[in-house]
Amino acid sequence: PPTDVIEIGTGNTTFQFEAVDNNEETTIWFVSTNEETVGAALLEVGLIEGDVSAFGLFVSKVNGLVADWDVNQSWWAFYIDSEMSMYGVDDVEINVESVYAFIYTIG
């Protein structure tokens, strides 16, 4: 179970974001933003980092933890309401009723 909830950012819209790390520990944030997409909001507060390609933002770091396919076949899977998203984080408009998560995944 998560140990605490962290409030981060400023803005008129607040949504819940979770990160499940390589030890299967969950951290929960309530992210406040004026951005329209989840990706822009998470970039704005520094919770994610990545590279932009023709396919959109490829997230390689969440909450300071790097996932590197070339090292151990790890990657960050993006979830919306406990289901893997069919869209990239930078294409998903914020819905305050949804819970967004990145889960450290191997293989």
Side-chain angles (χ1 to χ4, degrees):
T3 53
D4 53 13
V5 175
I6 304 161
E7 294 182 11
I8 190 170
T10 57
N12 297 321
T13 303
T14 301
F15 65 94
Q16 185 173 332
F17 171 69
E18 303 177 356
V20 181
D21 68 17
N22 55 332
N23 296 315
E24 296 182 10
E25 297 200 11
T26 302
T27 306
I28 298 174
W29 292 266
F30 284 107
V31 179
S32 295
T33 186
N34 287 324
E35 296 289 347
E36 293 186 7
T37 66
V38 177
L42 295 177
L43 284 167
E44 176 185 52
V45 297
L47 286 175
I48 64 172
E49 294 179 31
D51 296 311
V52 176
S53 73
F55 303 103
L57 178 66
F58 179 78
V59 175
S60 57
K61 185 187 284 188
V62 177
N63 194 27
L65 179 63
V66 173
D68 189 337
W69 181 263
D70 294 333
V71 172
N72 63 351
Q73 294 189 320
S74 62
W75 56 288
W76 286 104
F78 179 55
Y79 285 76
I80 303 171
D81 295 328
S82 302
E83 293 189 18
M84 192 178 295
S85 176
M86 301 302 290
Y87 303 96
V89 67
D90 51 342
D91 291 328
V92 175
E93 290 189 13
I94 296 168
N95 174 352
V96 297
E97 302 296 319
S98 292
V99 175
Y100 303 98
F102 270 106
I103 299 177
Y104 186 90
T105 305
I106 295 181

